[in-house]
Amino acid sequence: MEDLPEALLTEILNRITTTSDLNSLSLVSKQLYRIEGNQRDAIRVGSGLCTATKALTSLCVRFPNLRKVEIDYSGWIPGHGKQLDNKGLSVFSSHCSSLIDLTLSFCSHIDDSGLGCLVNCKKLVSLRLNSTPQITSIGLFSVAVGCTSLSALHLIDCEEIDNVEWLEYLGRDGSLEELVVKNCKGINHHDFIKFGSGWMKLQKFEFERKRGRYDLLDPGNVVYDSSYDAHNMDIYDFCCESLKDLRLAHIETWPEAGLRVLLGKCKALEKLCLQYVRALNDNDIIALSRSCSNLKRISLWLNLQRYSSDVNYCETRTSFTDKSLYALALNCRMLQMIDLSFTGCDADWPSEIGFTQEGFLVLIQSCPIRVLVLNNANFFDDEGMKALSSLPHLETLELILCHAVTDAGMRFIAHTPCLSNLTLRMCHNVTDVGVAELEDAQKLESLVIESCGEVSLQAAQRVAKSVQYSSECSNALMKKIGLGGY
């Protein structure tokens, strides 16, 4: 091994991707140890890491070209040893001159002073802070000022970040291309208006408000105006024409419009996810469709809200109606993925969902849909499955709590030209008879059956090359249908 050319050894190491294999191989010889150390550009550490200054310095010397570092203490307890603190982070920041990507997760011993050490990382491009309870807006502002190459910032469950001077500074600087803020109770979605000219360069934006346990199921007492149009006047003077990926979750856009105005400004938008956003109406989707002809993916997770356009009449339903579907069908002809989820809607009250099957079919027949997810879509039945069977591009279909779909619908879907991935969750009116229709077609690559009481494992196993089967509801499914914990 020692006689092999270094270039060949380097090539061998480049082809090995598993960390444990790299660690084992580096013990074979001093030459491999040195080359592997120089080649390693990413590490993930946490519990068990020796936090002594000398040990951390040795680690950085061992891997002098680290570009990506993840420090993760999820599940940590005091018995696991000391956590990395300010002094330890200072060692990383002063020795890792090539560092461009840093993630700190559940690091409870790092505060603003430690975060301030990152100003030494002049090449730092991406910073992710996840559940860092001692970091405040002061530390974040020092990063905004000192890390001049920063283009991606993620803040998740950062409870102590409140004032947004750091956001205003980053907006003036205009360097951010990706901004994700989730479950930070001190940050309101109206604060992002202060981002100003920073919106011009931003390509990805996510904001999720920290919510309460019953937010999804309670329509509340506020009645929203279904005719209100936040896009017929220029309420906020900023431009976001570079934005391609937008996700808004659990925010209320009334009485102040706030971030709903983004829907009419994002001309380059390709991916949109709206999850339980309150007070939106058809005018928002119509404005979106007129400005976003490149839209390829849309996820609408909707719950019950109260709407009125007449002081004498109020209705409880989801935010959008067929008007939104028709606007998308007319203007967004590149849509390839649709995910529609309805929480808290009763099958005995179909009017609680603003969409009808007629409007839905107009949309999917107007676009090259490849992926379709329907969750608790009470309007969708076997006739809808018949329409799906004629979609020439449909490859992946997931149905959750679609009680109006029966074995007859499975007979139709078996003839869909390109369907290769099918998922059925809690579809209780589909039985082994319907699944057998799929066996005859012999098209499916993968089949997932979860909590469909009338479908047996034996029937599912005959249908696809890859089969996942469970008679119980997973935690992920419970959360998806709005019954999971927070």
Side-chain angles (χ1 to χ4, degrees), residues 116-320:
C117 296
L118 297 182
V119 298
N120 296 319
C121 303
K122 299 302 181 182
K123 297 180 181 179
L124 190 67
V125 171
S126 175
L127 175 63
R128 294 171 175 83
L129 302 179
N130 181 11
S131 297
T132 50
Q134 294 199 59
I135 290 177
T136 74
S137 300
I138 296 173
L140 207 54
F141 185 79
S142 66
V143 169
V145 174
C147 299
T148 55
S149 298
L150 194 69
S151 65
L153 177 63
H154 290 222
L155 305 174
I156 303 172
D157 288 311
C158 294
E159 296 285 318
E160 298 303 317
I161 295 176
D162 43 26
N163 79 67
V164 289
E165 290 183 14
W166 57 273
L167 183 65
E168 295 179 53
Y169 186 91
L170 288 172
R172 291 193 299 271
D173 179 62
S175 62
L176 276 192
E177 297 180 4
E178 183 174 317
L179 178 59
V180 175
V181 179
K182 299 180 184 179
N183 300 328
C184 299
K185 67 179 182 180
I187 304 176
N188 188 287
H189 78 100
H190 298 293
D191 292 331
F192 292 97
I193 304 304
K194 300 174 184 178
F195 193 45
S197 58
W199 286 104
M200 178 73 76
K201 192 174 181 180
L202 205 63
Q203 296 183 27
K204 177 179 180 177
F205 177 70
E206 291 187 35
F207 178 73
E208 179 176 338
R209 179 183 67 86
K210 191 174 183 67
R211 72 271 192 192
R213 178 173 294 275
Y214 302 108
D215 278 7
L216 300 189
L217 302 178
D218 182 10
N221 296 319
V222 180
V223 178
Y224 304 120
D225 184 356
S226 61
S227 63
Y228 175 71
D229 190 348
H231 311 280
N232 62 3
M233 61 187 83
D234 198 1
I235 302 175
Y236 304 113
D237 183 21
F238 65 85
C239 177
C240 53
E241 294 188 355
S242 298
L243 199 63
K244 295 181 179 180
D245 188 343
L246 172 63
R247 177 178 177 265
L248 303 176
H250 303 281
I251 67 174
E252 183 158 6
T253 60
W254 180 267
E256 296 180 61
L259 291 179
R260 76 191 294 175
V261 300
L262 292 176
L263 299 176
K265 292 176 173 285
C266 307
K267 295 182 179 180
L269 198 66
E270 297 179 359
K271 181 180 179 181
L272 172 67
C273 181
L274 300 176
Q275 295 182 345
Y276 312 116
V277 178
R278 290 189 175 274
L280 296 180
N281 59 42
D282 288 324
N283 289 324
D284 296 296
I285 296 296
I286 291 171
L288 168 82
S289 71
R290 288 172 176 167
S291 63
C292 305
S293 59
N294 292 325
L295 192 66
K296 296 176 181 177
R297 300 167 63 92
I298 186 168
S299 295
L300 302 176
W301 291 19
L302 310 174
N303 58 349
L304 293 178
Q305 302 177 31
R306 301 186 192 280
Y307 284 92
S308 175
S309 58
D310 184 331
V311 293
N312 297 316
Y313 177 71
C314 175
E315 57 182 338
T316 300
R317 60 168 174 82
T318 55
S319 301
F320 309 119

Side-chain angles (χ1 to χ4, degrees), residues 357-370:
Q357 182 159 269
E358 179 183 0
F360 171 71
L361 294 183
V362 168
L363 173 59
I364 64 170
Q365 291 170 343
S366 302
C367 307
I369 304 301
R370 297 183 182 275

